[in-house]
Amino acid sequence: MSPNTPAWCASGVALLRSAGLPSTWLTELAYEPLRDAYDDLATSYLRLSGLRRKVVAAQRAHNGRKTIKLRPLDDDVARLCPDDLAATWNRAVAAHEAGWQRLDQAWDPALRHEDSRLLGHLRDETVRECLLLMSPGAYRGLTAQADGGTLRTSARRVAYRYLQRFCGKAETIGPSGPLNLLRVRQGEPAPQPAPGPHHPGGPVASFVDRCLGEVRYATTGDGSAATRRTLLTFWAAYTLIDALLDEAGPEARAALDHGVRIPGYAGDPAPYVRNVTAQIGSPGAATVRQLVDDVERFATLRQAGRPAELTRLASTFERITGRTAWRGQGEFYADRMILVEEAFDNVLGAHVVDDGSGRLADRLGTALDLLASVAVEHRLHGQRRLRELMRQRGTASLPALDVRDLDLDATPAAEAMPVKFIELVNTAEPVVNLTRSELEAAGLIRADLSAWPLFAAADVMLLGPDRPGASTRLVLSEVHHIWPNLSHPSRELMGDAQLEVAEVARRIRDLVAPARPLVQQVRRTQRGTDTSAAGQDLLCLDEMERGDFTDAVDAGELVVREWANGFVGLSSPAHDRDYWLLPEYDDTGLAVGGLAHCATPALDLFRFSFGTHTPRIVVDGVVLQRRRWDPPLPTIPLLRKGARDWCEVRLWQSRLGLPRFAFFITDVEPKPMWLDFESPVSVANFSHSLRTATHVTLSEMLPRPDQLWLTTQSGVHVSEIRILFTRERHAAPVLGEAVLGAAE
């Protein structure tokens, strides 16, 4: 590899994830006259603070001790002030009181302004579709009030909570978070599908990013214009199958039970339900088959017909199964209906004009090496534990199932990393820029990374238009130790050819060779899987499973032993094979336990907190962590009544140096929530969330709303690019030397 070649290689195809609706729906809730009134009030308060110091000094010069409050000076104090200081003070007090009056006068119009905007959005078909599939209770309550033209206080806050999700999150869930392709490799633009049935393709848009270069794309509109597909959820599929087996009786259940297992990596459970209905053939089976067909047809319905049809589908499901058609109903972010809708292809033919993959890999290289170093340290810690266990037992290998059952301490040796970071970070600064040389000097980047099979799926956000000369243009918002191109539902929606599944699978196989890649068995209860079979072997942890795999491997036939290169990993003595276990998320339903120490290093984006304030951390031009605040809850004023409370929150915001736009999470609601300090309803939602919390973290919104780049006919959207990175792997230094040197 030449010195100018990036160590990391970016996939040629990325997933473009976005909020389905424009961010301006949130930013325009703020009422400009209220903001201006507050700005004037804050200015007059600062002026009074300066004058107060002069009045206090004049008092002290004459041994005066009266407390100076924000009101006109009495005669005793005024006589002690030189020149026209007393008159100046009194005029400033009058201006400040007039400012309070302007703020109070602007408060009710501000609430009416927000109500008007929220009511308008609640009448939007896409908003209603999203609400309908997430929470029927919220849908009924909010749409009824919207149609009636008024919003109660609690409904205003609930409407905002859902709207901030639809407009402020890059998700993958129906029209509120459509999924699209972005080609970043030099060559032909990404295949451009036909425009949606109701919206023609828009004109070609262009955005020039300082790292990627020019990005071109066309759109059919916002998430409402995307192609739709509805799928039966996995938990609903299992519930329907159980109902059919109960109807068929014990003998049929005994005969069929073994054959109705839905593979964890199935992209769509519907065919397995249909297979059971065909085998049973009862009247109930025909009803179930019709229900599955109707679920799939739901995607073709327009909004006007959806509420009644969803009610009918839910009623049919409940009649068949005796179970509710909703899981977690009424819980924000937890609702799960019997069907889920995916939306895709509202952004068409998105591509980087020149080869942007190399520039992207080069820019992110230092940040990825830092995270990879942490991951390798973590894996070496687990390797040490496995070696200690083998020495204690006096054996050269351990049964894989025994290792799976072990609760090995997985605390990484990289615990000292925050200490090393503290030595580099000036916590008093708002932004800390770190270079590769500084990180290497601190021992934070390992020299042996080329010996390890390293890959990660990174969520990257472009900062969009910014001040001239700005160098930081990328935000690393998340890192996953899975790869996006081999995942469901993307393979179901877009097809393997567009996602270049074969190429991605080949790269992973080459990366772990001479061992074979092994993915773990999952128990899927939600709508899809993170990774899917694409030529890997399958580690069967529970029962043997067949599917689109090269081979299914029973965990009982595997052992954990030292490989020829010194790594302690999974092996099959019967077939003389070694396996690199590929990491998965924690919600697979079947934990690998201690076998996680035999997996490839799992890159993750760690979070730092240096107390009440943590600066933005930038690594070689990439934002590794946004600026954050962890204030004690008792110090945060709450919006309970009106303008005065809101003003106190704004003053608190100013004292901490918080920007206008932020995200916050609490220990009760860990999903990030959009916060606009200029919007009363947004501040009210923030205050309400704190009432049951014991901790809150706020982080700067980066990109800011004015730095967003993805534009449709409806406006500008929050978006991120999820793309796979693999690191070049070489024979030297030998992996065994790295492991043995750290382990002994």
Side-chain angles (χ1 to χ4, degrees):
M1 185 175 65
S2 70
N4 296 324
T5 302
W8 291 88
C9 178
S11 174
V13 174
L15 297 178
L16 179 60
R17 305 168 70 240
S18 69
L21 299 173
S23 63
T24 49
W25 285 20
L26 296 172
T27 59
E28 292 176 354
L29 288 173
Y31 186 56
E32 189 172 343
L34 182 66
R35 180 195 64 200
D36 293 343
Y38 170 79
D39 290 343
D40 291 344
L41 191 65
T43 299
S44 68
Y45 181 80
L46 290 175
R47 175 167 171 73
L48 278 171
S49 297
L51 290 172
R52 188 205 297 266
R53 288 191 291 270
K54 294 181 180 180
V55 173
V56 169
Q59 261 205 112
R60 288 177 177 172
H62 295 83
N63 296 320
R65 296 184 178 179
K66 286 191 174 182
T67 301
I68 305 302
K69 298 182 179 180
L70 296 185
R71 63 189 184 196
L73 299 177
D74 59 33
D75 293 341
D76 291 340
V77 176
R79 282 194 295 270
L80 302 179
C81 296
D83 301 328
D84 62 346
L85 178 58
T88 302
W89 169 269
N90 291 340
R91 287 195 297 271
V93 167
H96 191 64
E97 291 176 347
W100 273 117
Q101 292 176 2
R102 286 194 296 274
L103 186 75
D104 288 335
Q105 291 169 358
W107 182 252
D108 286 341
L111 298 185
R112 290 195 295 271
H113 168 84
E114 288 187 330
D115 277 0
S116 174
R117 294 291 191 275
L118 289 172
L119 286 167
H121 297 322
L122 288 173
R123 297 183 185 112
D124 183 272
E125 285 192 359
T126 305
V127 173
R128 294 194 171 199
E129 288 177 359
C130 296
L131 282 172
L132 180 66
L133 290 177
M134 288 187 182
S135 175
Y139 170 82
R140 287 190 296 268
L142 292 176
T143 55
Q145 291 185 49
D147 292 340
T150 60
L151 280 176
R152 293 192 296 270
T153 300
S154 59
R156 181 190 302 129
R157 188 180 64 251
V158 172
Y160 178 81
R161 285 165 66 86
Y162 280 105
L163 191 66
Q164 65 87 34
R165 182 178 184 181
F166 304 155
C167 303
K169 300 283 193 304
E171 295 192 278
T172 308
I173 178 168
S176 66
L179 192 66
N180 294 286
L181 282 177
L182 171 67
R183 189 175 295 275
V184 298
R185 184 192 299 115
Q186 187 174 12
E188 293 298 318
Q192 181 168 320
H198 308 297
H199 299 269
V204 174
S206 176
F207 166 72
V208 179
D209 178 70
R210 204 165 292 173
C211 175
L212 283 177
E214 185 180 3
V215 181
R216 291 181 185 170
Y217 59 94
T219 70
T220 59
D222 61 23
S224 64
T227 302
R228 311 283 187 88
R229 179 177 178 182
T230 50
L231 300 167
L232 189 70
T233 56
F234 274 71
W235 73 267
Y238 274 117
T239 306
L240 289 168
I241 289 173
D242 283 343
L244 287 175
L245 294 176
D246 287 342
E247 179 191 44
E251 293 184 4
R253 175 179 280 277
L256 291 172
D257 201 17
H258 184 71
V260 297
R261 167 92 166 83
I262 303 176
Y265 291 98
D268 181 1
Y272 300 91
V273 179
R274 289 194 178 97
N275 181 52
V276 174
T277 65
Q279 294 183 66
I280 292 179
S282 65
T287 304
V288 169
R289 187 164 53 250
Q290 184 62 53
L291 175 64
V292 174
D293 293 343
D294 291 342
V295 164
E296 292 179 343
R297 279 195 289 269
F298 188 82
T300 64
L301 297 181
R302 300 300 300 271
Q303 199 277 333
R306 287 185 160 212
E309 177 63 5
L310 194 65
T311 299
R312 189 186 70 80
L313 292 174
S315 176
T316 302
F317 177 86
E318 291 168 359
R319 186 176 69 253
I320 294 170
T321 65
R323 304 277 295 278
T324 178
W326 288 86
R327 298 174 63 190
Q329 185 171 348
E331 300 176 31
F332 196 63
Y333 283 113
D335 280 349
R336 293 289 184 272
M337 214 274 170
I338 59 172
L339 62 85
V340 64
E341 184 170 67
E342 303 291 352
F344 56 101
D345 283 349
N346 70 307
V347 177
L348 308 176
H351 67 285
V352 179
V353 174
D354 297 316
D355 184 10
S357 60
R359 293 191 297 274
L360 190 62
D362 184 53
R363 173 62 66 87
L364 286 166
T366 299
L368 291 174
D369 277 355
L370 174 62
L371 302 182
S373 296
V374 178
V376 169
E377 290 284 346
H378 188 281
R379 189 60 66 239
L380 285 174
H381 178 78
Q383 290 280 293
R384 285 195 290 272
R385 295 304 309 274
L386 291 174
R387 288 177 180 279
E388 290 170 2
L389 189 60
M390 287 192 292
R391 282 198 295 266
Q392 291 170 4
R393 296 190 179 184
T395 181
S397 66
L398 299 167
L401 291 179
D402 287 358
V403 175
R404 182 197 180 188
D405 292 337
L406 292 174
D407 184 18
L408 298 180
D409 178 16
T411 303
E415 273 188 334
M417 190 170 183
V419 176
K420 296 176 182 178
F421 247 77
I422 290 174
E423 295 173 354
L424 296 177
V425 173
N426 180 358
T427 57
E429 294 293 328
V431 180
V432 172
N433 291 282
L434 300 174
T435 65
R436 185 180 188 89
S437 59
E438 290 173 317
L439 296 171
E440 289 177 335
L444 293 168
I445 295 183
R446 296 180 61 90
D448 65 344
L449 294 178
S450 60
W452 293 84
L454 297 170
F455 63 89
D459 291 343
V460 180
M461 302 185 81
L462 309 180
L463 283 178
D466 206 349
R467 62 188 185 280
S471 59
T472 300
R473 307 298 294 178
L474 297 176
V475 178
L476 190 57
S477 59
E478 194 60 76
V479 174
H480 309 277
H481 43 269
I482 60 170
W483 54 91
N485 306 58
L486 305 187
S487 68
H488 288 302
S490 55
R491 287 183 71 186
E492 286 292 309
L493 301 179
M494 299 177 177
D496 289 0
Q498 286 198 85
L499 291 168
E500 299 184 357
V501 167
E503 170 62 18
V504 173
R506 182 197 63 77
R507 287 172 60 184
I508 297 296
R509 288 196 300 270
D510 291 347
L511 195 65
V512 302
R516 295 171 64 143
L518 189 66
V519 295
Q520 71 184 74
Q521 191 177 47
V522 301
R523 282 285 180 266
R524 184 55 53 186
T525 58
Q526 302 300 340
R527 66 181 181 275
T529 62
D530 295 320
T531 55
S532 52
Q536 305 87 15
D537 294 340
L538 174 69
L539 174 62
C540 293
L541 296 162
D542 188 11
E543 61 180 295
M544 289 299 289
E545 181 176 308
R546 292 293 185 263
D548 184 20
F549 299 94
T550 300
D551 197 5
V553 182
D554 188 342
E557 75 174 71
L558 300 180
V559 298
V560 174
R561 69 183 181 189
E562 183 176 316
W563 295 351
N565 67 355
F567 185 78
V568 179
L570 283 166
S571 296
S572 171
H575 297 91
D576 193 24
R577 294 174 183 169
D578 294 333
Y579 297 97
W580 275 108
L581 181 62
L582 304 182
E584 253 287 2
Y585 280 144
D586 295 331
D587 64 348
T588 56
L590 290 171
V592 296
L595 295 180
H597 302 310
C598 301
T600 57
L603 273 68
D604 202 356
L605 190 60
F606 47 86
R607 303 297 183 188
F608 283 111
S609 175
F610 294 119
T612 56
H613 169 254
T614 302
R616 181 193 306 168
I617 298 176
V618 182
V619 173
D620 272 0
V622 175
V623 177
L624 194 68
Q625 179 170 293
R626 296 169 175 88
R627 193 179 179 191
R628 64 178 279 175
W629 292 260
D630 294 87
L633 281 181
T635 67
I636 306 175
L638 302 180
L639 174 55
R640 291 186 173 92
K641 294 181 180 179
R644 304 295 172 115
D645 286 345
W646 177 79
C647 191
E648 287 299 317
V649 175
R650 293 297 314 276
L651 290 172
W652 170 81
Q653 168 211 352
S654 180
R655 287 195 300 271
L656 265 65
L658 281 157
R660 172 187 170 183
F661 296 105
F663 280 103
F664 73 91
I665 60 173
T666 72
D667 54 313
V668 178
E669 297 177 87
K671 290 285 188 178
M673 300 280 281
W674 179 293
L675 174 56
D676 178 358
F677 280 104
E678 291 188 4
S679 164
V681 69
S682 186
V683 174
N685 178 56
F686 174 60
S687 298
H688 181 81
S689 298
L690 298 186
R691 292 176 182 177
T692 55
T694 60
H695 180 266
V696 63
T697 294
L698 298 100
S699 61
E700 63 178 334
M701 191 174 293
L702 196 71
R704 301 186 310 265
D706 62 334
Q707 293 176 316
L708 302 176
W709 66 275
L710 182 64
T711 304
T712 72
Q713 292 90 321
S714 303
V716 184
H717 299 254
V718 174
S719 67
E720 65 185 13
I721 300 166
R722 180 170 293 181
I723 185 169
L724 172 69
F725 291 90
T726 54
R727 200 182 196 282
E728 293 289 336
R729 191 177 179 202
H730 305 282
V734 178
L735 178 59
E737 294 176 357
V739 174
L740 291 172
E744 298 301 329

